[in-house]
Amino acid sequence: MARVQIAGDHLRVQLRGMSKVWAMKSRLEIPLTSVRGATIDPDVVREPKGVRSPGLHIPGVAAVGTFHHHGEKTLWETYRGTRTIVIQLTGQSYDRIAVEVPNPREAVELINGSLPRRPAGSR
């Protein structure tokens, strides 16, 4: 499972264990101004993943790494999917991050509660 933290004005997503090897990435730091929001979404694991580069994909078991699907780039770190959150990004190399975390509700509240206020109608 990934660890999600707020460090100053950045969102930090830290992969653990073998996920770091399969994803060839240990941590992402994203400015909070580039985070559109986070949601709890255990069903996202059933979505098509697209082309993996690099990563591990064993359908129904694990998706870890970078995947490209219909022009969208996603960092996946999901296994059973029951504790999955999706973080939507803008202006970053990834369009979204789908990761399992120990407490999805706590992680989503932390992320969404840390976002800078934006004018109505802006994304």
Side-chain angles (χ1 to χ4, degrees), residues 52-68:
R52 152 179 56 115
S53 64
L56 166 78
H57 187 211
I58 302 172
V61 177
V64 181
T66 300
F67 291 75
H68 301 266

Side-chain angles (χ1 to χ4, degrees), residues 2-53:
R3 171 183 277 176
V4 175
Q5 298 173 298
I6 302 298
D9 59 353
H10 284 72
L11 168 66
R12 182 180 295 157
V13 178
Q14 188 169 1
L15 303 183
R16 296 178 171 190
M18 289 302 293
S19 293
K20 294 189 296 188
V21 176
W22 293 323
M24 296 182 70
K25 197 169 290 304
S26 61
R27 181 170 68 179
L28 290 175
E29 291 215 13
I30 301 145
L32 288 171
T33 55
S34 295
V35 178
R36 295 173 47 205
T39 56
I40 298 171
D41 191 351
D43 294 329
V44 74
V45 296
R46 289 190 265 286
E47 283 185 9
K49 306 297 182 288
V51 177
R52 152 179 56 115
S53 64

